[in-house]
Amino acid sequence: MSSPVIETVIGTGKTGLKVATDLVPSSIPRPVASTGVVVVGGLVLLSLLKSIVSTAVTLVVVGGLAYAAFMYAKKSDDSGSGGDGASDDDSLAEAKRIMDKYK
């Protein structure tokens, strides 16, 4: 019932485990060497995953702070232009006047 992709990943993992276990000196029993390879591989994988997640979280936080600063700066710029919405209405009326002129 398993898919070919899962079977391929499991087969590749078993092959990688066998090759890595063969790198361990033969004086160490194979089950112990295999367990050691799995533990060390898991620790390396966990360290790599931690680093990737930490980088992603840092990028999200910095991006969020930059966005918040941008929105704050934009809000403070808009508040200095009158703030009652009249300038938007004037701009819209001006745009309609220009469009009517070229019809």
Side-chain angles (χ1 to χ4, degrees):
M1 293 285 174
S2 63
S3 72
V5 174
I6 293 174
E7 290 175 6
T8 303
V9 169
I10 291 173
T12 305
K14 286 181 180 179
T15 304
L17 178 62
K18 184 178 181 296
V19 169
T21 303
D22 290 342
L23 294 174
V24 177
S26 60
S27 61
I28 298 174
R30 295 295 97 188
V32 174
S34 179
T35 303
V37 166
V38 168
V39 169
V40 170
L43 290 174
V44 168
L45 186 65
L46 185 64
S47 174
L48 181 65
L49 185 63
K50 182 183 82 162
S51 185
I52 290 171
V53 169
S54 174
T55 301
V57 168
T58 301
L59 288 174
V60 167
V61 168
V62 169
L65 289 174
Y67 178 75
F70 174 74
M71 294 306 287
Y72 178 76
K74 186 177 175 186
K75 182 189 286 187
S76 65
D77 287 345
D78 289 344
S79 65
S81 66
D84 60 355
S87 63
D88 289 339
D89 292 338
D90 293 341
S91 298
L92 184 60
E94 181 71 16
K96 285 182 180 180
R97 185 185 64 76
I98 291 171
M99 288 176 61
D100 289 338
K101 179 179 175 183
Y102 290 105
K103 277 188 178 180

